[in-house]
Amino acid sequence: MRYITIALAKGRLTELSISLLEGAGIDCTELKSNSRKLILTDEKNKIRFFLAKPADVPVYVEYGAADIGIVGKDTLLEEGRDLYEVLNLGFAKCKMCVAGPKELEGRMDSITITRVATKYPEIARMYFRRKRKESVEIIKLSGSVELAPLVGLSDVIVDLVETGRTLKENGLVVLDEIADISARMVVNRVSMKMEKERIGKLIQDIRKQL
Ligand code: PRP
């Protein structure tokens, strides 16, 4: 029997992803051992895991280097890879939003936006292409995106909003909602056919816990 390989997003999704796998009867002892090993296994179930940067998870899955991935919908939208999204795991819920200074509230349709700062340039590009005739300049940042409108780098931002605290404490507001985000399970297209039974059972065992 060949190994089924699962790619997990490193970071805030890791812990809950592991709990779901454990709940599905997978032995995650090695995965939780804090080892420096990059590939961890559950020998009994012939499953192996690795942790990767969130943006890399859909890449591994599309190329079949991992059969399954657990990653945020934000990353899936941004990466636009050819995969099966089989389950909405329902945790790490937040919203992808356009946000900006209070003064712009309710004026999204009438104001001119020239620059948008974001960690998600593709999502921002798609949104503004659909919503706006004039072109906007998308500025890619790596984090603390809320800073951009405060220091005059951009008019608005496209970013994740969870509790809304970061926006509030910086005098910013949601101007429009782009998408509901949460953790998703994705499967490689070929693996889905070749390992239909094993992957199908795993999907069922995870779904039961949701
Ligand atoms: C995320 C996101 C927002 C913040 C939203 O940032 O980009 O900045 O959390 O959460 P809130 O609505 O509960 O305040 P993260 O903590 O990942 O850090 P980053 O800004 O460096 O990306």
Side-chain angles (χ1 to χ4, degrees):
M1 191 162 57
R2 81 165 182 97
Y3 282 98
I4 297 275
T5 303
I6 305 179
L8 302 175
K10 214 189 270 186
R12 54 178 77 188
L13 299 190
T14 314
E15 217 171 296
L16 280 167
S17 304
I18 293 174
S19 306
L20 275 181
L21 294 174
E22 283 187 314
I26 295 170
D27 178 5
C28 297
T29 317
E30 207 181 287
L31 183 59
K32 293 195 296 185
S33 68
N34 265 333
S35 143
R36 289 275 170 136
K37 263 172 78 179
L38 296 173
I39 298 178
L40 297 320
T41 51
D42 166 359
E43 284 301 338
K44 200 169 122 255
N45 291 304
K46 282 277 179 238
I47 291 180
R48 42 180 218 168
F49 323 86
F50 61 84
L51 292 167
K53 286 269 176 148
D56 295 341
V57 168
V59 181
Y60 284 105
V61 177
E62 183 184 59
Y63 282 91
D67 301 290
I68 295 171
I70 296 182
V71 69
K73 181 69 179 175
D74 52 335
T75 307
L76 294 173
L77 289 171
E78 180 64 21
E79 296 300 314
R81 297 278 168 176
D82 184 23
L83 314 156
Y84 283 123
E85 188 183 311
V86 294
L87 279 181
N88 181 349
L89 301 173
F91 64 88
K93 273 194 191 155
C94 51
K95 277 190 198 300
M96 186 66 72
C97 293
V98 183
K102 273 195 202 89
E103 303 80 71
L104 302 186
E105 206 166 16
R107 297 176 52 211
M108 268 296 275
D109 294 329
S110 56
I111 48 161
T112 310
I113 292 169
T114 21
R115 294 198 297 199
V116 179
T118 186
K119 278 198 291 190
Y120 302 91
E122 282 311 312
I123 295 175
R125 205 162 282 132
M126 280 186 289
Y127 171 85
F128 282 101
R129 195 181 295 142
R130 209 175 55 227
K131 286 268 179 168
R132 302 246 153 190
K133 284 197 193 71
E134 73 268 31
S135 64
V136 299
E137 184 179 354
I138 311 282
I139 303 171
K140 184 172 190 306
L141 292 178
S142 312
S144 302
V145 176
E146 291 84 354
L147 249 179
L150 304 182
V151 294
L153 177 65
S154 71
D155 308 300
V156 296
I157 60 172
V158 166
D159 199 17
L160 292 174
V161 179
E162 192 181 352
T163 61
R165 223 183 119 193
T166 313
L167 291 184
K168 195 158 182 244
E169 291 189 10
N170 292 289
L172 302 170
V173 294
V174 171
L175 300 170
D176 201 3
E177 292 181 358
I178 301 179
D180 286 320
I181 304 297
S182 56
R184 309 292 161 105
M185 182 169 158
V186 292
V187 178
N188 171 270
R189 291 199 176 273
V190 177
S191 307
M192 196 68 182
K193 294 197 185 83
M194 304 298 281
E195 292 290 344
K196 205 171 165 219
E197 230 163 88
R198 288 169 77 199
I199 293 179
K201 167 135 191 349
L202 183 63
I203 294 173
Q204 266 182 17
D205 291 343
I206 289 183
R207 187 184 279 135
K208 274 185 218 151
Q209 304 170 67
L210 302 178

